Amino acid sequence: MTISEPKDFIREQVIQDNETNRFGGRVVTRFPPEPNGYLHIGHAKAIHADFGVAQSFGGHCNLRFDDTNPTKEEQEYVDAIQYDIRWLGYDWGDNLFFASDYFEQLYAWAVKLIQDGKAYVDDLTADEIRAYRGTLTEPGRASPYRERSVAENLDLFARMRAGEFPDGAKVLRAKIDMASGNLNLRDPVMYRIRHATHHRTGDAWCIYPMYDWAHGQSDAIEGVTHSLCSLEYQDHRPLYDWFLDQLGIHHPQQIEFARLNLTNTVTSKRKLLQLVNEGIVAGWDDPRMRTISGLRRRGYTPEAIRDFCDRVGLAKKPNVIEVALLEHCLREDLNKRALRVMGVLNPVKVVIENYPADQSEELEAVNNPEDPNAGTRKIPFTRELWIEQSDFMLDPPKKFFRLAPGAEVRLRWAYIIRCTGVVKNDAGEITQINCTYDPATRGANPIDRKVKGTIHWVSAAHALPAEIRLYEELFPQARPDEDENWQANANHASLQVIRDAVVEPTLADAAPFQHYQFERTGYFVVDPDSKPGALVFNRSVGLKDTWGKLEKQAS
RNA sequence: UGGGGUAUGGUGCAAUCGGCAGCACGACUGACUCUGGAUCAGUUGAUUGAGGUUCAAAUCCUUGUACCCCAGCCA
């Protein structure tokens, strides 16, 4: 690892382990998703930690699906998770594993624990086990089945596997300490009976290992050295260590860090699933969702997400990151790469009275001022244009640098125009703005006066219709799920669809997931729903808007 | 005294042996600008409380306080 890399407490630990030669200098991590939902921004942090730490030390990171609960897991999720991790830019090479691949080994180890008198078959019901477990402040009591003979346990456990008992009739438990202050050590369940079809092992098994029993042993099998997980597993570490010690097998170091929390965001698979199932959003990839697929569709880039993960850091302190940081990372990435184009969301017609109706010209526009290699393009200019309604005011306040009666404004890449009057309909709405243009101001500033404002426009004759989807926060409040009734916090007006926007003709062939900056408006991405002739754009994030801020302060 | 954790500006992360509390986001000024974008310059603002040790404490000691996690046959 080079000196310039960040040294969070996890990397410090690894450095120490390498110095003491604890794992022979090897560094192996793993990312262990359960395939029961889609990945979200919180997983991105974990992935970034798991793959990033391994990479820092020239090690590798396994992708291991923690598929020990057949009633909740599906192949669909296995596929989606792999797609998302790859899209984020991480590579597990050949190291794709499944906890279900280890079921046979896990079973053999369980038998060994029984033989050693360290595990037993319990006939108590789930409710009874809970009652016997005691409470946070009172010790538990031993199950009446705790002292069964090894032979009987062996027999019963074999028959559990053989399918002789119905769901819930028996479990295998580790025999540890019913009085421990750590509830996880009060004879945790290792196996439960589930006559369910598993997405990979089919009907080969009807007993399935619990997380605590499967996880550490899977880490050991894979030669993992540093097993990174979130804070809530701190209480499980003694159990993780206990199993490994009883078995006397390779013993990785579990290290816990604080999971990511984001303002205005729910990150809980259960809640995300609810948003989808209850139709509050359109699906897992709804651009308002901070799932990886939702962020992708919203126009986030892997680079922006990785940069974000870098900046949030890695520590044990529970945290809530402001979404502003996420948005900052996106803007910073897109500013360097997104091609600039002009699009008018809420058009109003401008007629340039002294520009001949039969005339048109091609003006050169810079594609990205931040990137000379992006080149230039030609955009058509004619007598009739669309401009943004908000770029005109009949009675403008001070510091409004745009178009108003008698005022001048620069048309981006084109001429300076002066407003001479407006046309209104019967309802009093402005339907047309009349202007004159100054032919001397193409590519040049006037010498006798200063024109401060520049606005974007699209030639009416060449404009392409477009649908534009604007998003606000799904949850306007910073911490939506502090509330028991968190779903009620959802803003059902968080998606605004504009169907009559117009964009410049160079966008005719814009392909899904292409990023653009609509000048002065924001960053937009082509939605997968988009087709030539029926363009659809999502606003990824707005540009910083100091004028908008002024307006807000004024109101 | 059930067990396990965490406390540094509004937010997140640093400060390696006890040695000038730093970086980023945000907010606020200003400069510049054919994007009210970008860029540049600057300002604001923090060590959980109380004692103690020390020339010197975010860091060491004592003692409080607050917050988070744990009682699934989920992970």
Side-chain angles (χ1 to χ4, degrees):
Chain A
M1 139 167 214
T2 60
I3 321 158
S4 64
E5 281 187 75
K7 264 201 265 170
D8 49 80
F9 79 101
I10 294 177
R11 274 171 252 249
E12 299 275 14
Q13 166 83 59
V14 175
I15 288 170
Q16 206 179 86
D17 290 341
N18 282 349
E19 278 167 359
T20 60
N21 204 34
R22 180 174 174 191
F23 297 110
R26 287 182 313 120
V27 177
V28 181
T29 60
R30 100 275 88 112
F31 175 63
E34 183 188 14
N36 68 342
Y38 283 73
L39 262 24
H40 56 65
I41 186 69
H43 292 110
K45 172 177 177 175
I47 291 167
H48 190 71
D50 288 326
F51 283 86
V53 167
Q55 193 177 41
S56 288
F57 297 94
H60 69 269
C61 178
N62 300 341
L63 172 58
R64 180 177 73 239
F65 285 94
D66 233 325
D67 54 349
T68 56
N69 186 352
T71 62
K72 290 191 174 173
E73 297 153 5
E74 294 171 26
Q75 186 61 37
E76 177 199 350
Y77 296 127
V78 172
D79 298 335
I81 288 169
Q82 292 188 61
Y83 185 89
D84 284 347
I85 300 173
R86 255 192 218 105
W87 178 78
L88 281 171
Y90 302 94
D91 182 14
W92 54 88
D94 296 329
N95 304 301
L96 172 64
F97 303 114
F98 294 82
S100 55
D101 289 342
Y102 311 140
F103 281 175
E104 197 62 58
Q105 175 65 260
L106 257 12
Y107 180 85
W109 276 332
V111 168
K112 174 177 165 28
L113 252 34
I114 294 172
Q115 286 167 339
D116 293 347
K118 307 244 172 77
Y120 62 98
V121 173
D122 197 348
D123 295 3
L124 255 27
T125 65
D127 284 345
E128 289 167 333
I129 286 182
R130 189 179 314 120
Y132 274 77
R133 186 154 34 224
T135 68
L136 292 179
T137 52
E138 299 158 23
R141 290 142 47 214
S143 162
Y145 305 97
R146 196 172 198 258
E147 300 306 329
R148 286 217 252 234
S149 70
V150 168
E152 187 182 6
N153 281 321
L154 252 15
D155 172 61
L156 256 15
F157 188 47
R159 289 163 61 194
M160 280 170 64
R161 176 179 183 172
E164 287 190 28
F165 309 111
D167 286 6
K170 293 184 182 345
V171 291
L172 183 73
R173 290 229 253 171
K175 191 193 273 190
I176 308 181
D177 177 7
M178 289 306 293
S180 172
N182 182 344
L183 288 307
N184 296 116
L185 264 18
R186 317 240 265 229
D187 289 11
V189 173
M190 295 169 63
Y191 277 95
R192 75 284 217 188
I193 299 172
R194 283 256 200 291
H195 291 270
T197 302
H198 185 278
H199 66 100
R200 296 193 81 242
T201 60
D203 296 319
W205 294 85
C206 63
I207 56 171
Y208 291 93
M210 298 288 290
Y211 165 85
D212 286 304
W213 172 239
H215 203 89
Q217 283 47 251
S218 299
D219 284 347
I221 290 168
E222 294 174 13
V224 167
T225 58
H226 300 271
S227 186
L228 280 31
C229 60
S230 48
L231 250 29
E232 64 265 35
Y233 291 101
Q234 287 176 121
D235 287 341
H236 295 246
R237 181 160 20 98
L239 179 53
Y240 181 100
D241 292 337
W242 188 88
F243 280 132
L244 262 6
D245 288 341
Q246 301 311 310
L247 263 13
I249 56 180
H250 169 67
H251 195 146
Q253 175 66 52
Q254 173 176 305
I255 304 173
E256 311 86 10
F257 61 91
R259 62 156 24 120
L260 172 78
N261 296 295
L262 243 201
T263 60
N264 305 279
T265 303
V266 300
T267 44
S268 133
K269 279 199 239 179
R270 185 178 60 80
K271 288 175 181 169
L272 291 173
L273 184 62
Q274 255 174 288
L275 290 173
V276 173
N277 286 344
E278 294 173 17
I280 296 172
V281 296
W284 285 100
D285 68 343
D286 186 300
R288 289 167 295 179
M289 295 274 273
R290 301 226 226 246
T291 50
I292 302 302
S293 52
L295 291 167
R296 177 166 55 234
R297 190 166 180 182
R298 177 71 171 262
Y300 274 78
T301 61
E303 290 82 356
I305 295 173
R306 280 190 256 123
D307 181 36
F308 172 72
C309 292
D310 263 335
R311 293 186 194 227
V312 300
L314 212 45
K316 298 192 81 152
K317 189 179 116 197
N319 58 77
V320 187
I321 312 288
E322 295 174 340
V323 283
L325 181 61
L326 218 210
E327 296 187 332
H328 168 82
C329 293
L330 211 221
R331 286 195 189 98
E332 190 169 84
D333 184 38
L334 256 21
N335 179 47
K336 292 179 300 197
R337 332 155 46 174
L339 298 181
R340 271 60 168 173
V341 294
M342 293 198 284
V344 178
L345 306 201
N346 298 295
V348 59
K349 178 76 66 73
V350 163
V351 175
I352 300 171
E353 294 165 314
N354 59 340
Y355 196 91
D358 57 355
Q359 187 176 322
S360 78
E361 53 193 307
E362 299 262 287
L363 304 175
E364 187 165 59
V366 172
N367 286 331
N368 184 353
E370 304 292 323
D371 177 14
N373 295 325
T376 61
R377 68 189 185 285
K378 298 283 192 189
I379 46 177
F381 183 85
T382 56
R383 175 183 163 92
E384 297 198 0
L385 314 170
W386 296 111
I387 68 164
E388 209 72 67
Q389 285 171 24
S390 57
D391 282 338
F392 177 84
M393 283 185 99
L394 258 186
D395 186 20
K398 272 195 278 287
K399 291 193 176 172
F400 182 83
F401 305 136
R402 287 116 92 157
L403 202 56
E408 281 189 302
V409 77
R410 153 82 57 188
L411 291 175
R412 181 74 157 153
W413 309 121
Y415 302 93
I416 286 172
I417 57 172
R418 181 188 299 276
C419 173
T420 57
V422 300
V423 178
K424 293 184 182 178
N425 64 13
D426 295 341
E429 298 160 340
I430 296 167
T431 56
Q432 182 176 314
I433 300 167
N434 293 327
C435 295
T436 56
Y437 84 112
D438 179 349
T441 55
R442 173 176 166 180
N445 280 322
I447 41 172
D448 54 341
R449 60 198 193 277
K450 184 130 186 153
V451 175
K452 181 140 185 166
T454 300
I455 64 172
H456 57 279
W457 53 276
V458 173
S459 163
H462 303 84
L464 264 24
E467 174 177 323
I468 291 185
R469 299 173 184 169
L470 304 178
Y471 302 95
E472 286 170 34
E473 289 296 346
L474 217 209
F475 295 103
Q477 49 288 110
R479 304 183 189 191
D481 52 359
E482 269 185 353
D483 224 309
E484 198 51 47
N485 191 21
W486 61 276
Q487 285 132 300
N489 290 333
N491 173 15
H492 293 272
S494 48
L495 165 62
Q496 184 197 349
V497 180
I498 295 178
R499 297 184 196 282
D500 51 2
V502 292
V503 299
E504 64 171 69
T506 48
L507 253 16
D509 300 316
F513 296 109
Q514 281 284 325
H515 304 276
Y516 295 96
Q517 184 198 98
F518 287 11
E519 292 210 42
R520 304 208 308 133
T521 306
Y523 293 100
F524 290 78
V525 67
V526 182
D527 190 85
D529 288 346
S530 187
K531 292 176 192 61
L535 298 170
V536 181
F537 296 90
N538 295 316
R539 184 171 66 191
S540 310
V541 66
L543 254 25
K544 279 204 201 147
D545 183 6
T546 49
W547 168 250
K549 212 180 270 177
L550 281 179
E551 271 187 317
K552 254 186 196 168
Q553 283 170 2
S555 67

